[in-house]
Amino acid sequence: MRKWAGNPWAVLVTVSLGFFMTLLDLTIVNIAIPEMIDALGASLDQTLWVVSGYALVLAVLLISAGRLGDLWGPRRLFVGGVAVFTLASVACGLAPSAGLLIAARGVQGLGAALLAPQTMALIVSVFPAQRRGTAMGVWGMVAGLATLSGPTLGGILVSTVGWRWIFLVNVPIGVAALVLTYLVVPDVRNGRSRTFDLVGVVIATAALFCLAFGLQEGERYGWGAGIWGLLAAGVALAAGFLVHQRGRQDREPLVPFALFGDRNFTVMTALVALVSMAMIGLALPFNLYLQSVLHMSALKAGLVLAPSSLVSMAVGPFAGRLSDRIGGKYLLMAGLSLYAAGMVAIVLIAGPATPWYLFMPATVVTGLGVGCVVAPMSTEAMRNVEPRLAGAASGVNNTIRQIGSVIGAASVGALLQGRLAAELAAGKAYADAFVATLHVTAALPIAALGSAVLLCLLVRNHTKKPAPEPEPEPVRTATTPGAGATQAVGNP
């Protein structure tokens, strides 16, 4: 394995394994809720916290973990995150009660927050800018596969070996990621002094907790005064955080404002929120439709969605390579348009008794759209980011991604419940009422994608120059995995 030490493609495979686990656990648990209720004697509210507790901790800690990676080294944070996540997965799989399972899921969220921002930071460190599109294409393929295959894989595991294996399946992946990290991933450091904005961390954590909890749990608590007070406190704390950060721009801020001097990073940050809203905005009601209206099993519902993830996985690397050659602007616009067209087709096809196979062409189109979006979106966001700020940039990007998912779930969930109740009160049969509700709720993710297409008009397109040699990146000091000596690391 020594010859693979520092190899950018080996590094990409390693970080992708860790990233795959974190995204898989956002979606795989939903399919096992009925089984967990029966096995643990849990209430529905408790099992929903098994789902939301993980996402909440992950969203709250991403920015802080990203900055820690910049200061202490992304490899160190990645190793810590994978170790915590793997051990927490064992605790989840062996949990004897709902309370302990919720606690273990929170620790899983901590591990995911520690490792997720480091994946993009390490990619930026080992790949030159001219080749990051292809690397981000593979990274995006992994992200799309993990997110979209969760229901399918979860359905298979629950139906065959039991719900506990949706957590235990992470253990061999985590062990493999740890071993490979020590063998192939360089310990890249920027050589700067290690200072950490503890006050900023406290304010940011409190702000993100108030916002994420309020949006995520608002429907459960009836959007009462307490929820609105929490959201208002979150907004006030976020404003205070920005004021605090403005005074620390010359002293290792958690969010370097220099990141937003790059128009493409700013646009991609907004874009990732809209795309995350759209993804959850369709997946949530469509999954319910397949199981509650068409009476599909969890496994069959997951298989109906499988073409989308398979096509996305196949297209991602090619889209990344193409974004290196022609830039991401028009590729993003085409992908977002295809994604929206696939959504429209799914909604128009859906009826009280639609055969499953009629959805196949539409899910293929959505997969094609997602495959054309994820890699260019990540590539254009990180293309001009300095390696020393890569962790902070990744932390901000991933935090906005999670907040977008929470907003999408809260908005669609509230609209879904309210509209379905109104349709049923009007005397419609459940199947007809749900189909009518699906048509209404789909307007939100489709509108989000339409807004994203318009936002892409602001992107400054990158085009690869015909012939020039890539300029060498600044030499960085790194420790070769498996050896005690330091070496100079340049372009791969």
Side-chain angles (χ1 to χ4, degrees):
M1 292 294 295
R2 185 176 295 276
K3 68 178 181 179
W4 292 102
N7 181 285
W9 297 105
V11 172
L12 178 60
V13 170
T14 303
V15 300
S16 294
L17 282 174
F19 193 52
F20 178 86
M21 294 191 303
T22 67
L23 291 182
L24 184 69
D25 267 48
L26 282 171
T27 58
I28 197 173
V29 178
N30 295 315
I31 211 82
I33 285 177
E35 285 75 13
M36 286 190 291
I37 290 175
D38 293 339
L40 298 175
S43 66
L44 177 60
D45 186 66
Q46 285 178 312
T47 51
L48 289 175
W49 263 105
V50 173
V51 178
S52 60
Y54 173 80
L56 184 63
V57 175
L58 175 59
V60 164
L61 297 179
L62 277 168
I63 287 180
S64 300
R67 198 64 180 124
L68 279 174
D70 285 337
L71 298 175
W72 295 347
R75 179 175 180 258
R76 182 181 294 180
L77 268 289
F78 183 80
V79 167
V82 172
V84 169
F85 189 93
T86 305
L87 292 173
S89 296
V90 175
C92 288
L94 301 178
S97 67
L100 289 175
L101 178 56
I102 293 168
R105 283 286 281 172
V107 179
Q108 258 194 329
L110 169 63
L114 289 174
L115 76 89
Q118 319 315 327
T119 60
M120 291 177 77
L122 285 166
I123 290 171
V124 168
S125 296
V126 300
F127 281 91
Q130 295 82 2
R131 294 169 61 193
R132 282 180 201 150
T134 304
M136 287 296 184
V138 176
W139 182 87
M141 174 196 74
V142 171
L145 178 64
T147 303
L148 297 174
S149 65
T152 304
L153 180 58
I156 293 171
L157 291 174
V158 170
S159 302
T160 53
V161 291
W163 67 268
R164 292 185 183 275
W165 281 92
I166 64 175
F167 302 113
L168 296 176
V169 73
N170 293 322
V171 177
I173 302 174
V175 171
L178 282 173
V179 172
L180 286 173
T181 300
Y182 282 110
L183 290 174
V184 305
V185 178
D187 190 8
V188 181
R189 308 289 179 88
N190 59 37
R192 300 188 66 177
S193 59
R194 299 175 185 176
T195 61
F196 193 56
D197 181 10
L198 185 59
V199 174
V201 167
V202 172
I203 300 174
T205 301
L208 289 169
F209 175 82
C210 291
L211 291 171
F213 184 91
L215 291 169
Q216 197 163 270
E217 306 299 322
E219 185 65 28
R220 190 182 306 178
Y221 293 102
W223 296 102
I227 290 294
W228 288 110
L230 205 61
L231 292 174
V235 172
L237 284 167
F241 173 74
L242 293 176
V243 171
H244 174 74
Q245 291 298 289
R246 185 177 64 181
R248 285 191 59 93
Q249 289 305 299
D250 58 344
R251 291 176 293 157
E252 303 288 0
L254 280 177
V255 179
F257 288 176
L259 291 172
F260 298 97
D262 175 23
R263 181 196 292 182
N264 281 12
F265 179 84
T266 304
V267 173
M268 293 302 114
T269 299
L271 198 66
V272 75
L274 291 170
V275 172
S276 297
M277 289 171 60
M279 282 186 172
I280 197 72
L282 178 68
L284 178 63
F286 189 51
N287 267 306
L288 289 173
Y289 162 79
L290 293 175
Q291 296 186 61
S292 66
V293 176
L294 301 186
H295 306 293
M296 292 183 181
S297 65
L299 177 58
K300 188 171 182 179
L303 291 174
V304 169
L305 299 171
S308 182
S309 58
L310 293 174
V311 172
S312 172
M313 178 179 65
V315 170
F318 295 101
R321 194 175 306 153
L322 195 58
S323 71
D324 277 342
R325 296 179 63 86
I326 67 171
K329 179 174 183 174
Y330 300 110
L331 197 57
L332 281 168
M333 295 178 76
L336 292 166
S337 300
L338 284 169
Y339 195 13
M343 282 190 181
V344 171
I346 286 173
V347 173
L348 293 179
I349 293 167
T354 304
W356 65 268
Y357 52 82
L358 291 183
F359 291 109
M360 294 297 102
T363 57
V364 168
V365 172
T366 61
L368 182 60
V370 172
C372 290
V373 166
V374 175
M377 190 165 57
S378 302
T379 303
E380 296 306 322
M382 302 295 288
R383 189 181 298 280
N384 300 318
V385 173
E386 297 177 45
R388 69 182 181 85
L389 299 178
S394 180
V396 170
N397 193 270
N398 280 288
T399 299
I400 297 301
R401 185 195 306 273
Q402 292 301 321
I403 294 295
S405 296
V406 170
I407 293 173
S411 303
V412 171
L415 184 58
L416 181 68
Q417 293 189 38
R419 189 66 188 178
L420 183 58
E423 295 287 347
L424 292 172
K428 290 185 178 180
Y430 178 82
D432 294 321
F434 198 99
V435 169
T437 300
L438 181 63
H439 290 166
V440 174
T441 56
L444 284 178
I446 292 169
L449 291 177
S451 301
V453 172
L454 295 176
L455 197 60
C456 286
L457 295 173
L458 298 176
V459 174
R460 286 178 175 152
N461 203 37
H462 156 82
T463 52
K464 190 174 182 180
K465 295 180 181 177
E469 289 290 326
E471 295 199 7
E473 291 187 351
V475 173
R476 302 180 299 275
T477 299
T479 302
T480 304
T486 57
Q487 65 176 4
V489 178
N491 284 342

